[in-house]
Amino acid sequence: PLTLHEVTQAIEKGASLLDTRKPDDFEQGFIKGSINIGLNGQFAVWAGSLIDIHTPLIIIADDGKAEEAILRLARIGYENVLGYLQG
């Protein structure tokens, strides 16, 4: 888990935010610049299409879903996940 301060520092160094919550939840509030690809549906297809495989990623997920997102990204070759936003 990463604190908001750590996330901010990582973004300044070029990391991207991948918000894996449902689109309705994302619409209610999100961090500017984050990409929303919900875990429901074709997560791997959209992630592979929209995000460069070399981009460092930080995950935003519902409670208990960050590890699933990281695992699913690893299955398609994304292994540069820095962590997930705590809370």
Side-chain angles (χ1 to χ4, degrees):
L2 302 172
T3 65
L4 185 55
H5 179 71
E6 291 170 320
V7 168
T8 302
Q9 288 181 327
I11 292 169
E12 289 173 0
K13 294 178 182 177
S16 291
L17 294 173
L18 176 56
D19 193 321
T20 63
R21 298 174 300 151
K22 295 177 184 174
D24 290 341
D25 295 336
F26 179 79
E27 182 181 20
Q28 302 269 328
F30 57 90
I31 297 174
K32 184 178 178 180
S34 60
I35 300 167
N36 178 237
I37 304 174
L39 285 175
N40 298 336
Q42 297 184 344
F43 177 74
V45 172
W46 283 109
S49 297
L50 297 175
I51 303 169
D52 183 284
I53 198 162
H54 302 292
T55 301
L57 293 175
I58 298 170
I59 304 298
I60 299 171
D62 289 323
D63 288 340
K65 294 290 188 175
E67 289 181 14
E68 177 184 348
I70 293 167
L71 176 63
R72 290 175 65 181
L73 287 166
R75 287 181 182 156
I76 60 169
Y78 287 84
E79 297 184 357
N80 198 5
V81 178
L82 303 177
Y84 60 92
L85 179 60
Q86 183 177 3

